[in-house]
Amino acid sequence: MGGDLLERDRELDELRVAANDASMGRGRVVLLHGEAGIGKSTLVNALRADPPAGVRVLLGSCDAMSTPRPLGPLRDLESSVGPRLGEALRAGEREEIFAALRDELSDGTGTVLVVEDAHWADEATLDALRFLARRIDELPAALVVTYRDEFERDHPLGRLLGDLGHGDRVGRLAPDRLSSDAVGALIAGSGLDAERVFATTGGNPYFVREVIASADESGVPQTVVDAVTGRLRRLDAQTQEHVEQLAVVPSAVDAKLLARLVPGSAGALRAAEEGGLLDVRPEGVRFRHELTRRAVVDGLPASRRIELERAVLAALLESGAADPARLVHHAGAAGDVDSIVEWAPRAARDAAASGAHRQAAAHYAAALAHPDRYAAAELVELTEEFAIESYTIGAASAAVDAQRRTVAMRRELGDARRLGASLRWLSRFDWFDGHRADAEAAAREASAVLADAGDPSLHAMALSNEAQLALLAHDTRRALDLAAGAIAISRETGDRRVLSHALNNHGTGLLFIGREEGVDELLEAAEAGLSIDDIEDAARAFVNLVWALLDQYRLAEAERHLSRALELTERSEFIGFATYQRMEQARLDLARARWDDALALVESPPGMPHARCVALTVAGTVAARRGDDGADEILDDAHRLAVELGELQRRGPVAAARAEAALLRGDLEAARAIARVEFDEADRREARALRAELAYLLRRAGGEVEVAGDDPHPFSMQARGDWRGAAEAWREAGAPYHEASALAESPDPADLVEALAILDRIGAAPLARRVRAELRDRGVRSVPRGPSSVTRRNPEGLTDRQLDVLRLLAEGLTNAEIAERLVVSVRTVDSHVAAVLAKLGVASRQDAVRIADERELLAD
């Protein structure tokens, strides 16, 4: 084994096993991770140099650009793959790229696809990796992903790694630093002191090599920059200039660009290649290591770097380079405003089409930093496109600010049709950011402006938007009337986007008033949206459907539709809807009394105010039902936010949670006062599910309330005094806390004992105490004592469920396997895994298991 691969037999063998498995049709994912310079690329290059017979190795790299190229590593493959994938990459159609990539890897006798430096990947690339990883069992391919461990906790790569899990089809390789013996072997004959080199480098292979290559009689350099600079300065002046020029390109430099940047091309770089700085090949040149390139750049004066960046930009433009993201990167570094103004909009639209919405928003922001450079008609379009991309990634405040500028510009331009459309968007963004009154004002103006604008579809969309706001305020009858009008227009014009939006509102309204056909309308809304690739309205249909089903405690149906909805929004990167779906999963876990699972999903409340209100309500309800400290404070925060948002759909559930908490602490007067106001509002607005829950709470608090005799909601049954019917309904729904609360109303002590067993099992201590007291008051002997007060504690603050997950991680289970074992959703497991890693202060599952073993967290 060569010097570059000392103490790397295990890792290289694992890569070769994955390649062999691919050749036999057994797909695998290998996650190769570690600190910068640990040798990830060296291992990949060793596999590329000597792959198993018949196996091809494809390599794509993510570049350290200010805004990553959409699908950058896949675009690197264009010259090495078949025509279908090459054409799809050039066209930029996301779904076609994914399908073509799968087909490309399905052919042949085995392929290893390496994606290097995924910590710099754009989100479209991460989605492509997720797409492949989920299908890897079906492919004769190995997917090798390299990344540094030092990414931030909320980095999108972390979400992907959580999705991938750990099991037979997913392997993780984390090369260790070199031992002192290995370092001694590497420096043999150099005249350097082995102990000093080991102490300076810590055994990092890259730094060891740099020290060996750069050290002279003055001693060992203290930093990578010093080491690389020392080697660079030994080259002749012309070669130094060439190396510096290439260093500002954060990717491989192809032969075409190299010829423009370096006269004499490869021949002029011989000294740099022999000095170990560059790797020169017929297809181009790259630095031996990214740290080397970065060190050269960091050693440049600012004026020199700007000069070099301008040279790269000019060469790319002269060569007709078609990658706008690369041009924008170099234009920004060079301070070339003209090029930013020209290319940033193209880069943004390219990113949006690829599904890289964060990158799209960044490019739009770069363009809009120079508003005076665009004509008014172009500026308004760019501003609105930026607003829409900001909304897509959940940046609600940025979306509102941009859209308000858009509307102001539309007024000046005097186009009523476009003004009305922009007002409709502003209404949506205002609501999303918690500005209810502003949203209603914009919605009314949009409908008024578009009524006579000569565009029936836009007018119908404005009406549907008003219907949506009415629906969110539980003004259901008005919402149904407005939505019906929009549906009629859309069916007449054949506009499926408007049809999807309006059916969304009409179907949800029907479910609010107990009409079952609302389910069919919401499913039709989703299909209509998907038929025209309108992911937003398709996702909204599923959100509304699941929400209504949760309100009715049709939990199994809600879970089934939520699973499909999560897959849709993850694939399309609609972050805002994914956040709402996480809140829906939390509500589902709350209903099923999976307390830890619910808390894991709301542990870090989202910034979006409506979703945050739900998160606080769930967290406060769990705390009240378990008897945890701080329940009232959490619910008070939720109440203040709900009042600020001004909608019954937020105020009502918070009131129910606060009234329940008051009942659990025995304050009947407070419970009545809290529940009465929102019950009257729910009754007036026909919010049937909310009315049922508040009616039940009022009755428990001793308040007078009338309940319709034909309302089948379990809460209505309890409000009518039908505790047995309610208990059976709750049992069938799979809601054990509510089943126990219904049984606790029985006059038969045997039912109370049954309720107590449920409450002890799920950890509902406050209600369990009340049931025990009731049993004693009735003279029942041998009341079950309940669980011990001594609970499992650990200094890391892991919950019981997080400890369960950690145990299963130690068994090597994937997230999907853990979900199946614990009977929860994969998304819930993802949240638990992320929480475990954060609490243990580690970046990988492997490290979490190691820490658990060292601290004996799983000894019990």
Side-chain angles (χ1 to χ4, degrees):
M1 181 176 292
D4 284 350
L5 288 173
L6 279 173
E7 299 183 335
R8 294 293 183 261
D9 298 88
R10 178 183 65 87
E11 290 84 357
L12 185 57
D13 286 347
E14 187 68 23
L15 289 177
R16 293 187 65 82
V17 167
N20 275 314
D21 282 353
S23 69
M24 292 182 282
R26 298 195 299 265
R28 293 184 60 189
V29 175
V30 179
L31 303 176
L32 178 55
H33 62 99
E35 65 181 295
I38 201 65
K40 301 181 293 293
S41 296
T42 301
L43 284 164
V44 167
N45 289 334
L47 179 66
R48 292 179 68 198
D50 185 23
V55 174
R56 63 172 175 165
V57 180
L58 300 176
L59 175 67
S61 298
C62 306
D63 303 323
M65 296 175 64
S66 53
T67 302
R69 292 185 298 155
L71 298 168
L74 299 186
R75 296 183 193 276
D76 288 347
L77 307 178
E78 283 189 39
S79 61
S80 306
V81 296
R84 182 185 178 190
L85 180 55
E87 290 170 8
L89 288 165
R90 286 187 289 275
E93 290 294 333
R94 175 192 177 94
E95 296 301 325
E96 174 60 17
I97 289 171
F98 286 8
L101 180 60
R102 181 188 57 208
D103 288 352
E104 178 73 30
L105 298 183
S106 298
D107 295 336
T109 57
T111 300
V112 177
L113 172 59
V114 181
V115 175
E116 285 210 278
D117 296 323
H119 49 277
W120 288 320
D122 66 287
E123 281 158 316
T125 294
L126 295 177
D127 284 346
L129 296 180
R130 182 182 288 107
F131 173 87
L132 285 178
R134 287 175 174 171
R135 294 158 178 81
I136 202 68
D137 288 348
E138 309 163 6
L139 300 172
L143 174 62
V144 178
V145 182
T146 78
Y147 60 93
R148 295 183 190 173
D149 288 333
E150 305 97 340
F151 56 84
E152 296 178 359
R153 180 180 173 184
D154 60 349
H155 194 289
L157 176 60
R159 194 164 65 244
L160 170 65
L161 298 177
D163 288 346
L164 295 184
H166 191 132
D168 292 342
R169 297 292 90 196
V170 179
R172 282 173 163 78
L173 294 177
D176 294 325
R177 289 189 171 196
L178 298 177
S179 66
S180 58
D181 289 343
V183 171
L186 281 176
I187 68 170
S190 67
L192 296 172
D193 182 275
E195 290 185 5
R196 183 179 179 190
V197 172
F198 181 73
T200 301
T201 65
N204 181 290
Y206 169 78
F207 202 1
V208 171
R209 289 194 299 272
E210 289 304 311
V211 164
I212 294 170
S214 61
D216 53 28
E217 65 278 0
S218 64
V220 176
Q222 294 301 306
T223 68
V224 173
V225 173
D226 292 339
V228 173
T229 302
R231 294 173 67 187
L232 182 63
R233 296 306 172 223
R234 295 176 190 171
L235 302 175
D236 63 89
Q238 186 68 56
T239 303
Q240 287 185 44
E241 290 183 4
H242 292 333
V243 171
E244 290 172 351
Q245 177 65 80
L246 296 174
V248 299
V249 183
S251 61
V253 180
D254 60 42
K256 189 175 181 181
L257 179 60
L258 179 63
R260 293 179 181 274
L261 292 177
V262 179
S265 297
L269 300 173
R270 182 174 300 134
E273 182 183 17
E274 292 172 350
L277 294 172
L278 300 177
D279 182 9
V280 180
R281 301 187 178 210
E283 62 269 20
V285 62
R286 66 164 59 239
F287 279 80
R288 286 284 179 88
H289 199 285
E290 170 61 19
L291 288 177
T292 303
R293 187 194 71 82
R294 186 71 257 175
V296 174
V297 172
D298 289 346
L300 293 173
S303 57
R304 172 66 172 155
R305 180 174 179 181
I306 291 171
E307 173 191 352
L308 297 172
E309 294 280 8
R310 286 176 177 168
V312 175
L313 178 62
L316 287 171
L317 291 171
E318 290 170 6
S319 68
D323 190 338
R326 292 183 69 189
L327 294 172
V328 173
H329 168 82
H330 291 292
D336 188 330
V337 174
D338 288 343
S339 293
I340 293 172
V341 167
E342 179 179 357
W343 291 99
R346 303 188 198 187
R349 288 161 186 151
D350 183 44
S354 299
H357 297 291
R358 292 184 188 277
Q359 284 71 44
H363 286 306
Y364 279 124
L368 292 172
H370 310 283
D372 57 317
R373 303 295 297 272
Y374 296 100
E378 186 175 6
L379 179 62
V380 71
E381 296 299 331
L382 288 174
T383 306
E384 186 158 65
E385 288 165 7
F386 170 66
I388 293 170
E389 291 300 314
S390 298
Y391 165 69
T392 300
I393 63 175
S397 295
V400 168
D401 290 344
Q403 195 62 13
R404 285 177 179 167
R405 296 197 302 272
T406 298
V407 167
M409 287 185 280
R410 296 284 192 210
R411 293 190 196 284
E412 292 182 5
L413 292 172
D415 186 328
R417 178 178 171 278
R418 291 182 177 273
L419 172 60
S422 295
L423 283 164
R424 201 272 302 177
W425 274 117
L426 177 59
S427 173
R428 179 61 179 164
F429 301 163
D430 268 326
W431 179 86
F432 203 64
D433 201 31
H435 308 297
R436 171 85 201 186
D438 292 337
E440 289 181 335
R444 287 192 299 270
E445 185 180 0
S447 294
V449 167
L450 290 169
D452 300 316
D455 191 323
S457 288
L458 281 180
H459 183 223
M461 183 62 84
L463 293 175
S464 186
N465 182 65
E466 284 198 88
Q468 183 178 5
L469 287 172
L471 187 72
L472 292 167
H474 274 281
D475 191 352
T476 308
R477 294 297 175 180
R478 181 168 180 266
L480 289 171
D481 289 343
L482 287 164
I487 290 170
I489 295 173
S490 65
R491 292 199 189 280
E492 183 177 338
T493 61
D495 192 320
R496 294 187 66 76
R497 179 166 179 268
V498 178
L499 177 64
S500 177
H501 194 278
L503 282 170
N504 245 308
N505 302 319
H506 199 267
T508 306
L510 290 176
L511 284 176
F512 278 2
I513 61 174
R515 298 267 297 276
E516 186 62 21
E517 58 265 40
V519 173
D520 292 334
E521 288 198 0
L522 285 171
L523 292 175
E524 183 185 354
E527 294 306 320
L530 290 173
S531 70
I532 55 171
D533 203 29
D534 180 3
I535 304 300
E536 180 190 1
D537 280 317
R540 189 165 69 91
F542 282 119
V543 166
N544 289 344
L545 176 57
V546 171
W547 203 275
L549 292 172
L550 288 172
D551 283 346
Q552 296 175 15
Y553 281 84
R554 295 160 63 174
L555 304 184
E557 290 178 73
E559 192 159 25
R560 185 174 69 252
H561 290 298
L562 180 57
S563 177
R564 183 183 177 191
L566 282 167
E567 182 181 353
L568 173 67
T569 50
E570 284 180 356
R571 189 176 73 243
S572 56
E573 201 190 338
F574 265 83
I575 307 301
F577 283 118
T579 300
Y580 268 102
Q581 287 160 350
R582 192 170 82 247
M583 296 303 99
E584 289 181 323
Q585 182 67 58
R587 288 188 64 202
L588 177 64
D589 290 333
L590 173 65
R592 293 201 185 281
R594 300 189 296 225
W595 313 125
D596 285 343
D597 295 342
L599 289 178
L601 292 161
V602 301
E603 197 166 30
S604 299
M608 295 179 295
H610 291 274
R612 183 178 181 83
C613 189
V614 178
L616 291 170
T617 305
V618 169
T621 303
V622 170
R625 290 179 183 174
R626 295 204 306 195
D628 297 340
D629 294 336
D632 290 338
E633 290 81 357
I634 297 171
L635 291 175
D636 286 345
D637 286 344
H639 172 65
R640 284 189 288 271
L641 181 53
V643 170
E644 180 182 327
L645 294 172
E647 293 179 351
L648 181 63
Q649 68 162 341
R650 302 292 173 241
R651 295 197 319 269
V654 173
R658 294 174 69 227
E660 181 183 338
L663 282 171
L664 288 172
R665 64 175 182 267
D667 192 342
L668 304 187
E669 183 178 355
R672 288 195 300 271
I674 291 168
R676 173 58 67 180
V677 174
E678 300 303 346
F679 170 80
D680 291 341
E681 181 76 358
D683 189 40
R684 184 173 69 84
R685 293 187 178 275
E686 299 184 76
R688 297 182 62 168
L690 182 58
R691 179 179 62 188
E693 183 172 9
L694 291 167
Y696 155 69
L697 292 166
L698 276 171
R699 189 186 71 81
R700 288 290 307 277
E704 295 184 1
V705 62
E706 293 184 6
V707 182
D710 60 348
D711 187 347
H713 198 292
F715 276 133
S716 288
M717 293 182 189
Q718 283 185 269
R720 293 194 297 266
D722 182 8
W723 63 266
R724 185 172 297 281
E728 291 174 357
W730 289 125
R731 185 180 300 115
E732 184 177 347
Y737 181 83
H738 296 303
E739 178 189 352
S741 72
L743 288 169
E745 298 183 48
S746 169
D748 186 342
D751 291 321
L752 270 66
V753 171
E754 183 181 351
L756 194 55
I758 296 172
L759 295 170
D760 285 343
R761 173 171 57 82
I762 64 178
L767 186 53
R769 284 195 297 269
R770 297 178 69 84
V771 173
R772 280 191 172 82
E774 178 68 19
L775 284 168
R776 293 189 187 100
D777 289 345
R778 295 187 190 186
V780 175
R781 297 181 179 182
S782 302
V783 176
R785 293 181 58 188
S788 168
S789 61
V790 179
T791 59
R792 285 175 290 173
R793 298 291 180 185
N794 56 78
E796 288 73 21
L798 297 173
T799 66
D800 286 352
R801 180 48 64 92
Q802 288 164 358
L803 285 167
D804 291 339
V805 169
L806 186 53
R807 286 189 181 87
L808 298 176
L809 288 178
E811 293 181 24
L813 270 62
T814 67
N815 283 17
E817 290 166 341
I818 294 173
E820 184 176 357
R821 181 80 65 88
L822 298 179
V823 197
V824 298
S825 72
V826 177
R827 175 48 65 94
T828 297
V829 175
D830 294 344
S831 298
H832 280 312
V833 171
V836 168
L837 299 185
K839 288 182 177 181
L840 295 181
V842 296
S844 72
R845 301 152 70 96
Q846 184 181 31
D847 287 341
V849 172
R850 176 179 55 77
I851 291 293
D853 184 57
E854 291 174 356
R855 301 177 187 174
E856 299 184 346
L857 298 179
L858 307 179
D860 182 7

